[in-house]
Amino acid sequence: MVDPIPGELPKPLRLLAFPSRFLPLGPALTLAVRRFARRRPAVFERLGEHARASFLVEATDLGQSFLIIPDGMRAEIKVLSSRSRREADVHVKGPILVLLGLIDGTFDGDALFFNRAITVSGKTDALLALRNTIEDAELKPSDLAGLTGEAARLLDKAVFGAIAGARRLSGSQGQGEAA
Amino acid sequence: MTDIALSLGPVFFNWSPDRLRDFYARIADEADVDRVFVGEVVCGKRMPFNDPVWPDVVERLTQAGKTVILSTLALPSNIRDRKAVKALCEGGASIEINDLTAMPAMGAAPFAVGPFVNVYNEGAASFLANRGANLICLPVELPLSSVGTIARACPDVTFEVFAFGRLPLAVSGRCYHARLHGLHKDSCQFICDRDPDGLPVDTLDGQDFLAINGIQTLSHSLQVWSPSPEEAANLGVRSLRLSPHTLDMVAVSALYRRLCRGEASPQETRAKLRELPLPGALVDGFTRGIAGAAKAAS
Amino acid sequence: MSIELVCPAGTPSALRAAVDAGAHSVYCGFRDETNARNFPGLNFSPEELTEGVRYAHARGAKVLVAINTFAKAGAFDPWKKALENAEKSGADAVILADLAVLDHAARNHPALRLHLSVQAAAATPEAIEFYQQTFGVKRIVLPRVLSVEEIATLNAAVSVETEAFVFGGLCPMTEGRCSLSSYVTGRSPNLSGVCSPPEHVAYEEGPGGTATKLAGYTIDRVAKGAPAGYPTLCKGSFVAEGKTSHLFEDPVSLNASTLIAALARAGVTALKIEGRQRGKGYVAEVVRTFRAAVEAIEAGRDEVEVERMLAGLVEGGRQTSGAYKKTWR
């Protein structure tokens, strides 16, 4: 891949860091998730007891953090500066591309723990639940960016393309035992 | 209230024929236990060495008034192992099965079920009881709440709980003694005989953790379940299993006998056990439904 | 005779991905303690299963439902319901391990096809015969302790179908017979459908590097910045006789792709890919590759060529062919 630093965001995608057209990023994301929850409430059942957990996701290359409570129609997302200290059940830290890779299934529950680019602390089981929920929801970056149509297609293609490149960062094995 | 019986479980470790003979001679003469399980359960490769010992051991124990039950392999893995299991099961002696490989050969005869068979609920217990199981030593990780539920549902079966010794936690197709010493399982030189209580395995921080015994992995700590007679009776547990180690098992069985008779308190029993040269700390988490490694109360 | 490829699906979207990628069969479980992959956020509701079965059947694929844990004493209802829901969904088979669940299924769901889970650890013709004659089990998922030669011998001695793991996670311990996880965390595959559960996992930075901890026990330690593995107990690094080593198993995963043809010759009906906890991207890639490999073998193509097709999958992580080669022991 072309990334100079693997896992960091190529320039055009830094758009993601900017507020959407009408709303600041936090409220825009909150609205996007709640809209999604209204459309497909079953998706959030997957979170079970972890729906009210708080996730502090720090995108190291954006200088920004996201405080997320993924509770369906009561979901909340706040955008914070990386410097602000916040308490949360789960802390996740890593380059935005790798974090986005958690969304499409490129990096899965196992890879989460293997990936040197991501640091996880706190309630790891809640993070696993969130990751599995997001993957099953088939949520795309454009859903979060509030984009539609051709712009959405282009953004998703660019992000997933870049994620595929970042894939090499993740060498992972599963636990044994299955069926 | 029915008396709580004491069982001596099978020796898990690779003891020499001489050590086995001496051990069981002393058990026959001095140990106050009701039942003794004998035979190789861990590794079929050890059988050619210890097989010749068993006829004498069984006779000696029987003459001493003990009920003797032959334990079978937990993981029969080749034709020789399978033949050994079949021969034992068809031999007419009392048998403890540790793998369902033994089931076809048992036919309609009654049998005991060892802790390696997965009996996690009353459905599995009554299924086996209908097939002839009359004593079941439940899996070591089962909490007492489940033990009670199962025992109450199957009043005709004697339920036994693994009450003393390093916990048998896993078996594998792979031999860890051989692997540690850079040997192949097929040419293992029987080096597991160097560790008559298992070979200690520590964490990277030097914490006591596990013990290996050929293909078997045990806890480093020793399980201790020391119920009052009332507690055992309320759960429907009618027998306690003591698992042999190189320490004085006669002393261990004497302590448990006093406990079962209500002559010593659980606390006193644990204190006396701790005075013995135990190869590890005492734990009882499994009985409480938490991590098995949780320390037993003082 | 063609080889059936049995593929994992932790979520409905992974099921669709596996079917689209060419899985002949997909296995999955309900979102509760009845299946041995009871991880947060994974698995299916009864409605999702019905929908998944419809999706798979419309594309010629089968769905196998894993109800492969041991029922909790005094609380059999979830397992009963799981069997009912599996039958109602139109699934093609259920994968069971517990004597109580097998007995209940054989008595109350005679039309349901029963497979024996690897968690039942039936590794001998006698044990297999017992499950076949007692419960009418049609297929055995083979414990990962057997070599290819032993599988061939076994298949010659039994009349049930057999299924062998070929790719993904690897247990060095006999599955269904391991309480290492509960010894440390209180939860285990047999008790709770999980191994080394994530809520007990922690990573600690220290002067010696990053320690991966499970319930306070240091399971491994790597240099700062190096990839830290998931602290699955049996893949940890320990000290015995003064030697530090991955005593039980190296942090490797199973890859028996080079043995597909040999396993087929040994009479195995189905090949199983592990990984219900893995992402759908991963699942799709592995399934696609294995499907192509299986077809190439069936078309009689060169095994070296097949090996090359699968080479892409082995990049990065370390792999082993496990017990299938006797030297593993």
Side-chain angles (χ1 to χ4, degrees):
Chain A
M1 262 314 284
V2 288
D3 292 347
I5 307 164
E8 294 208 352
L9 199 63
K11 270 239 168 64
L13 298 183
R14 287 182 191 256
L15 271 175
L16 264 183
F18 285 94
S20 79
R21 287 148 299 171
F22 308 112
L23 283 170
L25 186 54
L29 288 172
T30 300
L31 266 185
V33 173
R34 288 185 183 182
R35 228 180 352 243
F36 186 82
R38 197 165 307 129
R39 232 172 38 235
R40 294 176 54 197
V43 163
F44 291 84
E45 281 168 28
R46 202 164 275 289
L47 281 168
E49 57 181 301
H50 304 297
R52 287 304 300 167
S54 53
F55 299 79
L56 188 66
V57 182
E58 186 183 338
T60 45
D61 47 344
L62 296 185
Q64 273 180 340
S65 296
F66 301 84
L67 184 70
I68 303 167
I69 298 170
D71 193 11
M73 297 206 291
R74 284 172 295 173
E76 270 174 67
I77 300 180
K78 287 191 182 119
V79 181
L80 313 164
S81 148
S82 279
R83 270 186 292 277
S84 61
R85 292 250 156 247
R86 275 302 187 102
E87 283 303 304
D89 297 322
V90 191
H91 289 244
V92 191
K93 223 166 109 171
I96 184 70
L97 260 188
V98 179
L99 294 172
L100 284 168
L102 300 177
I103 294 179
D104 85 319
T106 301
F107 304 121
D108 56 29
D110 275 10
L112 261 184
F113 296 98
F114 281 88
N115 204 306
R116 75 168 98 187
I118 292 185
T119 329
V120 176
S121 60
K123 290 181 65 182
T124 40
D125 48 339
L127 181 62
L128 210 52
L130 180 67
R131 209 250 15 139
N132 290 331
T133 299
I134 292 174
E135 174 178 313
D136 190 57
E138 309 198 308
L139 203 60
K140 294 184 292 299
S142 55
D143 291 326
L144 291 177
L147 295 176
T148 50
E150 183 64 7
R153 205 186 59 77
L154 282 174
L155 176 66
D156 293 339
K157 195 169 162 231
V159 172
F160 288 136
I163 289 169
R167 175 172 267 173
R168 279 165 209 288
L169 282 179
S170 130
S172 93
Q173 292 96 31
Q175 290 158 267
E177 179 272 312
Chain B
M1 191 164 49
T2 43
D3 282 348
I4 313 291
L6 287 181
S7 288
L8 188 70
V11 172
F12 290 144
F13 309 101
N14 187 6
W15 290 3
S16 69
D18 284 346
R19 188 194 273 269
L20 286 171
R21 249 186 231 109
D22 293 349
F23 175 75
Y24 283 112
R26 186 149 179 255
I27 292 296
D29 296 345
E30 299 173 43
D32 187 5
V33 294
D34 304 286
R35 261 185 297 267
V36 182
F37 292 85
V38 301
E40 178 59 50
V41 301
V42 172
C43 181
K45 287 190 68 184
R46 299 171 184 169
M47 286 178 146
F49 298 93
N50 56 31
D51 266 351
V53 172
W54 302 126
D56 294 347
V57 164
V58 171
E59 202 187 319
R60 181 106 190 229
L61 289 165
T62 311
Q63 272 172 8
K66 321 280 186 216
T67 301
V68 181
I69 299 173
L70 305 183
S71 270
T72 53
L73 286 169
L75 191 65
S77 57
N78 55 36
I79 182 106
R80 193 187 53 212
D81 293 354
R82 286 164 45 212
K83 278 187 177 155
V85 170
K86 190 165 186 277
L88 279 174
C89 294
E90 291 173 348
S94 297
I95 293 294
E96 171 177 78
I97 69 163
N98 282 306
D99 184 88
L100 296 187
T101 295
M103 287 299 278
M106 283 317 305
F111 57 94
V113 177
F116 299 94
V117 176
N118 286 332
V119 180
Y120 279 83
N121 50 58
E122 61 281 18
S126 63
F127 172 83
L128 289 167
N130 287 335
R131 300 239 151 194
N134 52 16
L135 181 147
I136 299 179
C137 181
L138 291 162
V140 295
E141 67 174 5
L142 202 66
L144 290 178
S145 54
S146 294
V147 170
T149 305
I150 296 169
R152 278 189 292 273
C154 306
D156 297 337
V157 177
T158 298
F159 284 94
E160 184 167 287
V161 168
F162 191 93
F164 178 85
R166 283 185 160 163
L167 288 156
L169 296 175
V171 286
S172 171
R174 181 178 246 181
C175 175
Y176 297 115
H177 257 95
R179 182 168 154 90
L180 179 70
H181 291 93
L183 298 166
H184 193 265
K185 186 184 176 192
D186 291 340
S187 49
C188 66
Q189 300 170 23
F190 304 95
I191 41 163
C192 53
D193 68 356
R194 292 184 198 171
D195 303 290
D197 284 310
L199 193 161
V201 175
D202 302 340
T203 68
L204 294 177
D205 293 331
Q207 205 173 356
D208 292 336
F209 194 38
L210 301 170
I212 53 170
N213 170 40
I215 64 154
Q216 185 183 42
T217 304
L218 303 113
S219 59
H220 183 280
S221 296
L222 282 77
Q223 167 86 339
V224 60
W225 186 50
S226 48
S228 66
E230 295 75 29
E231 186 189 2
N234 286 340
L235 288 166
V237 173
R238 285 192 276 164
S239 184
L240 302 184
R241 176 169 298 209
L242 314 177
S243 190
H245 289 274
T246 55
L247 58 80
D248 185 353
M249 291 306 293
V250 171
V252 172
S253 60
L255 290 172
Y256 270 89
R257 183 63 87 191
R258 282 172 51 78
L259 173 79
C260 291
R261 289 201 178 125
E263 294 163 11
S265 72
Q267 198 178 355
E268 220 178 309
T269 305
R270 289 192 296 270
K272 291 270 191 217
L273 284 170
R274 285 192 172 100
E275 286 171 13
L276 297 171
L278 301 173
L282 292 181
V283 297
D284 68 354
F286 279 145
T287 63
R288 294 184 276 145
I290 58 173
K295 296 270 182 294
S298 61
Chain C
M1 194 190 71
S2 61
I3 308 166
E4 178 181 332
L5 202 55
V6 182
C7 307
T11 59
S13 73
L15 179 144
R16 293 191 293 273
V19 169
D20 294 347
H24 298 113
S25 298
V26 173
Y27 66 102
C28 53
F30 291 113
R31 197 152 62 230
D32 60 21
E33 72 269 44
T34 63
N35 92 86
R37 274 281 174 217
N38 186 17
F39 275 91
L42 276 192
N43 301 316
F44 289 63
S45 69
E47 297 73 32
E48 287 170 342
L49 180 66
T50 305
E51 185 45 47
V53 170
R54 204 175 297 140
Y55 188 90
H57 284 180
R59 288 154 187 82
K62 291 179 183 161
V63 176
L64 319 176
V65 183
I67 308 173
N68 59 340
T69 48
F70 295 84
K72 192 171 162 22
F76 196 58
D77 267 5
W79 283 266
K80 250 173 148 156
K81 287 230 169 62
L83 286 170
E84 271 167 36
N85 286 329
E87 181 154 47
K88 246 188 263 165
S89 75
D92 300 274
V94 287
I95 310 169
L96 312 180
D98 183 7
L99 288 171
V101 181
L102 282 155
D103 191 41
H104 182 85
R107 286 173 197 277
N108 299 287
H109 301 276
L112 209 48
R113 182 181 161 95
L114 309 185
H115 291 185
L116 190 72
S117 168
V118 71
Q119 301 296 123
T124 64
E126 291 82 7
I128 291 170
E129 178 196 323
F130 165 75
Y131 284 106
Q132 184 184 17
Q133 293 187 352
T134 313
F135 307 115
V137 164
K138 297 284 194 300
R139 182 185 292 182
I140 308 284
V141 184
L142 294 170
R144 284 172 264 190
V145 296
L146 299 164
S147 68
V148 173
E149 296 78 17
E150 286 164 343
I151 292 173
T153 313
L154 184 69
N155 274 323
V158 300
S159 58
V160 284
E161 298 173 0
T162 55
E163 181 172 306
F165 279 98
V166 285
F167 197 81
L170 170 75
C171 286
M173 304 302 180
T174 304
E175 286 135 297
R177 298 280 193 91
C178 180
S179 305
L180 286 175
S181 177
S182 52
Y183 181 66
V184 172
T185 70
R187 301 178 80 211
S188 70
N190 287 5
L191 285 174
S192 6
V194 291
C195 175
S196 309
E199 71 271 19
H200 289 281
V201 171
Y203 296 86
E204 269 175 32
E205 298 291 340
T210 307
T212 55
K213 294 205 157 192
L214 189 68
Y217 290 91
T218 301
I219 301 303
D220 213 339
R221 182 173 279 120
V222 296
K224 210 173 152 64
Y230 190 98
T232 308
L233 232 158
C234 53
K235 312 271 173 59
S237 183
F238 301 104
V239 183
E241 296 220 310
K243 267 184 269 184
T244 301
S245 68
H246 288 102
L247 177 61
F248 302 106
E249 180 58 291
D250 298 305
V252 292
S253 63
L254 173 71
N255 183 1
S257 55
T258 57
L259 299 173
I260 293 176
L263 286 165
R265 279 195 299 273
V268 165
T269 303
L271 301 178
K272 183 166 220 156
I273 294 168
E274 188 275 345
R276 281 190 280 156
Q277 81 289 11
R278 305 303 306 262
K280 65 186 178 217
Y282 166 92
V283 168
E285 186 185 335
V286 173
V287 172
R288 206 174 296 117
T289 311
F290 266 86
R291 174 69 186 259
V294 164
E295 278 178 7
I297 285 164
E298 282 171 356
R301 299 242 294 280
D302 187 37
E303 282 178 32
V304 178
E305 195 187 327
V306 173
E307 232 170 281
R308 207 175 304 127
M309 295 168 69
L310 293 160
L313 293 178
V314 305
E315 215 174 326
R318 294 174 57 205
Q319 323 243 339
T320 173
S321 58
Y324 293 130
K325 290 191 176 152
K326 279 187 90 180
T327 48
W328 178 82
R329 293 170 182 165

